[in-house]
Amino acid sequence: MAALSTDVLVIGGGATGTGVAWDASLRGYDVVLVDRADLAEGTSGRFHGLIHSGGRYAVKDPHAARECIHENRILRQIAADCIEDVGGFFVTTPWDDPAYADRFLQGCRDTDVDCEEIDPAQALREEPLLNPNISRVFRVPDANIDVWKTVWALARGIQARGGRVLPYHAVVAVHRSGDTVTGARVRGASTGEEIDVEARVTVNASGAWAGTVAEMAGIEGVRVLPGRGIMIAMNHRLVNTCVNRCQMPTDGDIIVPIRTVCVIGTTDEHTDDPDDHTVHRSEVDAMLDDGEKLVPGFRQARAMRVWTGVRPLFEDAKASDTETRDVTRAHALLDHAERDGVQGFVTITGGKLTTFRLMAEDTMTAVSRHLGDERPCTTTTEPLPGSQAREHYHLGERLGRKEAHLADEQLICECEMVPRRRLEEAIQQRATTNLDDIRRLLRLGMGPCQGGFCIYRATGILHGLDGLTAEQADESLLHFLRERWKGVWPILYGDQLRQARLDDWIFHGVLDVEHLPAAPQAEAVVS
Ligand SMILES: Cc1cc2nc3c(=O)[nH]c(=O)nc-3n(C[C@H](O)[C@H](O)[C@H](O)COP(=O)(O)OP(=O)(O)OC[C@H]3O[C@@H](n4cnc5c(N)ncnc54)[C@H](O)[C@@H]3O)c2cc1C
């Protein structure tokens, strides 16, 4: 069996685990990062996209609000290229308690969240589709973040410092020698090959799965309540500012404009299974109704896709099984030496994507102590690869690049403006034949046609570049279509239904995907 040896093994390649591995690398430790799937394929790739200003928690959870604004300011500096500075509004709609607005303003003052009340008429000039009956509006420094760009920038930084990043390597056993965790065994998804990773310290950053991984180390009682939420992407930006309802946090009260779409969310319900991504029609309906309160006509707009994610909510003494919205959003760092008498093992869970850097800092400060040579954290100032210029991403960047090279760029994905050269580079960089991995990297197939026009072109390019057999290329195409279909079918109405029919004709009528050599499950793809 293959074996690796390292200072720090990080289990979980979401924002938290990747952040921990980045922090470890910057402190000069050797690190191995593993995930059972692609990076950020867990909750981090299924979140709402918001870098919180802290406003959402200003009344209910002042500690969380302070952490958010603190991290918001840092992330804007170190991850500038992954962030779009869209700003945020908190608006009082006719459905919201008008008295909350003053509490909100005071809460922001108390927690250092930058907040300015503006005239609703000004807000409507900036966001003409907003409900004209809003009575008060507060401007806050919300932003959006492209999480896939972020984790892969972190991964590049880790690799550049000698660290190893192993997506699609699931931990199947955690090794213990007496009272000490000494590493873990991982299994590669494609080959089934197992690798023993020996580590001086093992960090469990597996989010909603942290309890299961802790059990592998023989540690009971790490209870993480998975809080499930749905989100719906609309086919374009109905607003260009993050719009939050000015009320106690509840379902469907935020619209985040991100990249070419805007996303409404979310719900928060307890689930027993963090891998259950069922979407109920009633949830979709309720979410669209909530959208109407912020943007009248929301239901007539084109809903493109729905998905779910699970919050890793660490259970505290007050929490019940069903009221996940009331469980703290603060993170939990469990030092199992102190808690359970088990050396060499630390769990980090809970928190928010906005606070992943802070979670990583706290974790590595504890790990560094265990390693006996406390080294300082530098993640507050060290920019991520690609963010050295400290310039924010802005919508229109891709269009600008395209227009600068109109003659020589062949577009593969028109919706997200992915040129052929970029696609070929990504396939080679990632050394993957999984078009869904490429999607996360480039947003290939994430626009209104959901891959209807670009994915067979991309499959042909993948086939030519990677020397795949026709069956392997077909399998990659089918895997992509199956994944896309999961998020499309629960929300089919209006224009998106028409689009799905067109895609169906392309894939069944023209390409006959049902009868491709690798197509035993093709029927479930688009019909
Ligand atoms: C609906 C919803 C909306 C949200 N919106 C926001 C928002 O707008 N802003 C914000 O700041 N926060 C938001 N959050 C919270 C935020 O998304 C999470 O707190 C954050 O993404 C958690 O990151 P993580 O790395 O800890 O967990 P994850 O991203 O879940 O990472 C854990 C990883 O562990 C891996 N793993 C599990 N088991 C194993 C194993 N045996 N071996 C190897 N790997 C394993 C998983 O594959 C996964 O990739 C939202 C959450 C939800 C559910």
Side-chain angles (χ1 to χ4, degrees):
M1 183 183 306
L4 293 174
S5 177
T6 188
D7 292 326
V8 184
L9 167 64
V10 183
I11 304 172
T16 307
T18 314
V20 170
W22 166 242
D23 187 313
S25 299
L26 287 180
R27 291 188 205 227
Y29 296 115
D30 186 55
V31 66
V32 173
L33 170 68
V34 297
D35 197 289
R36 63 179 189 163
D38 198 12
L39 296 189
E41 211 181 319
T43 307
S44 297
R46 301 174 153 273
F47 86 131
H48 204 159
L50 177 63
I51 289 290
H52 287 282
S53 58
R56 184 166 177 79
Y57 305 108
V59 174
K60 187 173 179 178
D61 192 343
H63 177 70
R66 277 192 199 92
E67 279 188 354
C68 283
I69 187 63
H70 183 253
E71 290 304 303
N72 177 311
R73 289 173 186 145
I74 293 172
L75 291 178
R76 283 165 182 271
Q77 295 297 317
I78 62 156
D81 185 44
C82 309
I83 288 176
E84 187 186 358
D85 186 12
V86 284
F89 287 156
F90 276 76
V91 302
T92 305
T93 72
W95 293 268
D96 304 324
D97 173 10
Y100 184 83
D102 287 329
R103 292 172 64 203
F104 172 80
L105 191 56
Q106 189 57 46
C108 288
R109 284 187 187 130
D110 294 345
T111 53
D112 193 29
V113 174
D114 311 285
C115 177
E116 175 202 7
E117 179 156 16
I118 63 168
D119 187 343
Q122 173 61 26
L124 286 165
R125 276 194 290 279
E126 292 178 32
E127 291 298 347
L129 299 186
L130 259 187
N131 188 331
N133 296 318
I134 50 176
S135 51
R136 294 182 76 177
V137 182
F138 302 92
R139 196 193 292 280
V140 294
D142 284 340
N144 73 42
I145 184 164
D146 182 329
V147 70
W148 296 304
K149 201 171 180 186
T150 308
V151 292
W152 281 103
L154 292 167
R156 288 203 307 281
I158 295 161
Q159 287 165 332
R161 285 165 177 77
R164 284 153 288 182
V165 178
L166 305 178
Y168 295 106
H169 281 78
V171 168
V172 291
V174 174
H175 295 317
R176 260 179 84 157
S177 167
D179 285 342
T180 305
V181 167
T182 57
R185 177 167 300 174
V186 300
R187 185 180 296 145
S190 56
T191 59
E193 187 202 4
E194 297 197 339
I195 307 173
D196 269 333
V197 186
E198 187 189 314
R200 294 168 69 197
V201 175
T202 299
V203 176
N204 173 14
S206 55
W209 297 266
T212 310
V213 171
E215 273 172 23
M216 290 189 206
I219 295 167
E220 302 292 328
V222 176
R223 281 208 70 199
V224 183
L225 292 177
R228 181 181 151 285
I230 75 159
M231 284 142 291
I232 298 174
M234 310 305 284
N235 82 321
H236 70 271
R237 291 185 175 205
L238 298 167
V239 288
N240 281 306
T241 311
C242 293
V243 180
N244 309 253
R245 276 174 63 187
C246 195
Q247 59 170 1
M248 277 293 189
T250 183
D251 289 354
D253 57 353
I254 312 181
I255 304 178
V256 180
I258 179 160
R259 296 295 177 133
T260 51
V261 303
C262 69
V263 179
I264 183 158
T266 169
T267 49
D268 194 349
E269 274 182 11
H270 174 70
T271 174
D272 289 325
D273 177 7
D275 289 304
D276 174 13
H277 294 298
T278 316
V279 174
H280 305 290
R281 182 72 223 179
S282 56
E283 295 175 301
V284 169
D285 276 339
M287 192 63 62
L288 295 174
D289 285 344
D290 287 329
E292 285 285 329
K293 293 174 182 162
L294 285 166
V295 174
F298 197 86
R299 267 187 167 281
Q300 274 71 57
R302 179 166 163 181
M304 198 170 69
R305 183 170 187 80
V306 58
W307 70 95
T308 67
V310 282
R311 292 172 190 80
L313 302 173
F314 183 68
E315 188 181 33
D316 66 14
K318 291 183 300 188
S320 82
D321 270 7
T322 49
E323 293 165 344
T324 49
R325 202 178 285 288
D326 292 332
V327 180
T328 178
R329 264 47 175 164
H331 58 270
L333 174 64
L334 308 181
D335 185 333
H336 295 290
E338 289 167 10
R339 185 181 184 267
D340 308 286
V342 177
Q343 309 293 324
F345 193 58
V346 167
T347 293
I348 176 75
T349 188
K352 286 168 291 299
L353 198 125
T354 306
T355 56
F356 82 88
R357 191 217 59 84
L358 177 66
M359 293 166 72
E361 176 179 349
D362 287 356
T363 306
M364 277 313 300
T365 298
V367 169
S368 195
R369 219 171 27 241
H370 282 293
L371 290 171
D373 56 351
E374 296 181 31
R375 302 179 191 175
C377 171
T378 54
T379 58
T380 51
T381 51
E382 182 71 28
L384 273 50
S387 287
Q388 290 89 345
R390 299 188 194 264
E391 281 170 18
H392 292 306
Y393 169 84
H394 65 90
L395 189 68
E397 253 184 51
R398 285 186 175 189
L399 179 61
R401 279 200 295 270
K402 168 73 187 142
E403 285 180 340
H405 305 280
L406 270 180
D408 45 60
E409 291 262 42
Q410 184 187 359
L411 269 191
I412 301 303
C413 170
E414 286 92 351
C415 303
E416 295 289 338
M417 276 183 269
V418 180
R420 179 179 186 128
R421 184 185 41 79
R422 193 63 199 94
L423 175 63
E424 290 176 346
E425 280 168 9
I427 292 170
Q428 271 156 356
Q429 268 166 19
R430 279 296 308 273
T432 183
T433 56
N434 182 337
L435 288 165
D436 219 31
D437 291 348
I438 301 296
R439 169 184 71 80
R440 281 183 281 274
L441 216 55
L442 302 181
R443 298 185 61 83
L444 177 82
M446 288 182 73
C449 80
Q450 291 287 290
F453 293 105
C454 61
I455 209 60
Y456 49 85
R457 298 174 188 154
T459 307
I461 290 168
L462 180 71
H463 186 190
L465 269 185
D466 246 357
L468 299 177
T469 63
E471 285 79 6
Q472 286 167 322
D474 290 345
E475 184 48 44
S476 195
L477 168 71
L478 291 167
H479 173 73
F480 182 94
L481 292 176
R482 272 179 226 128
E483 287 302 312
R484 286 287 86 188
W485 182 242
K486 283 181 195 165
V488 170
W489 77 264
I491 199 156
L492 280 182
Y493 67 87
D495 285 341
Q496 201 60 24
L497 177 57
R498 289 183 197 99
Q499 176 74 56
R501 289 297 296 140
L502 177 58
D503 291 353
D504 191 57
W505 287 326
I506 293 172
F507 288 109
H508 279 143
V510 180
L511 297 177
D512 197 17
V513 286
E514 275 178 73
H515 301 105
L516 291 175
Q521 296 171 56
E523 221 166 317
V525 174
V526 281
S527 51

